């Protein structure tokens, strides 16, 4: 694993730590905001390949970040980079 991948993993692990420090459970977030728990887990782990269409995923990321009280920008940036690398032009 190179340095970039390590930083990426640490970044996404921090999301989970923030959520847990606020006493929030994925199941509660999922029920309240109508986002599948598996999608929330994918956001927390940076497993973007498991997420739905970009239009939905961007909204999920913004909602999740807002709930945690963090800037959605860095997550969205990583997601957009993923999309650019994997989607046909």
């Amino acid at each position: 694993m190179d340095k970039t991948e390590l930083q990426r993993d640490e970044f996404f692990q921090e999301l989970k730590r923030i959520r847990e420090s606020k006493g929030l459970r994925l199941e509660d977030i999922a029920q309240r905001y109508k986002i599948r728990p598996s999608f929330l887990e994918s956001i927390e782990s940076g497993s973007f390949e498991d997420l739905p269409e970009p239009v939905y995923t961007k909204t999920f990321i913004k909602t999740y970040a807002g709930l945690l009280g963090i800037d959605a920008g860095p997550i969205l940036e990583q997601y957009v980079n993923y999309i650019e690398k994997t989607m046909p032009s």
Side-chain angles (χ1 to χ4, degrees):
M1 180 179 293
D2 68 16
K3 185 177 178 182
T4 305
E5 288 174 316
L6 184 59
Q7 289 172 332
R8 179 181 174 273
D9 288 346
E10 289 173 2
F11 172 81
F12 285 103
Q13 288 170 8
E14 182 64 14
L15 295 177
K16 183 176 181 179
R17 281 193 290 272
I18 292 169
R19 176 182 54 79
E20 289 174 342
S21 75
K22 293 179 178 283
L24 299 170
R25 296 177 337 130
L26 287 178
E27 295 79 14
D28 297 333
I29 297 168
Q31 185 175 10
R32 181 171 181 187
Y33 293 96
K34 307 297 184 228
I35 303 171
R36 290 184 192 171
S38 62
F39 293 163
L40 294 168
E41 289 171 354
S42 294
I43 292 169
E44 279 189 350
S45 66
S47 302
F48 297 135
E49 64 276 3
D50 299 328
L51 293 166
E53 294 296 316
V55 67
Y56 299 113
T57 296
K58 287 178 183 179
T59 300
F60 295 161
I61 289 171
K62 289 175 188 174
T63 299
Y64 179 75
L67 182 67
L68 296 184
I70 62 171
D71 179 13
I75 307 169
L76 288 169
E77 183 180 330
Q78 294 210 26
Y79 178 66
V80 168
N81 288 339
Y82 165 78
I83 294 300
E84 289 173 351
K85 289 178 186 173
T86 59
M87 294 287 214
S89 6

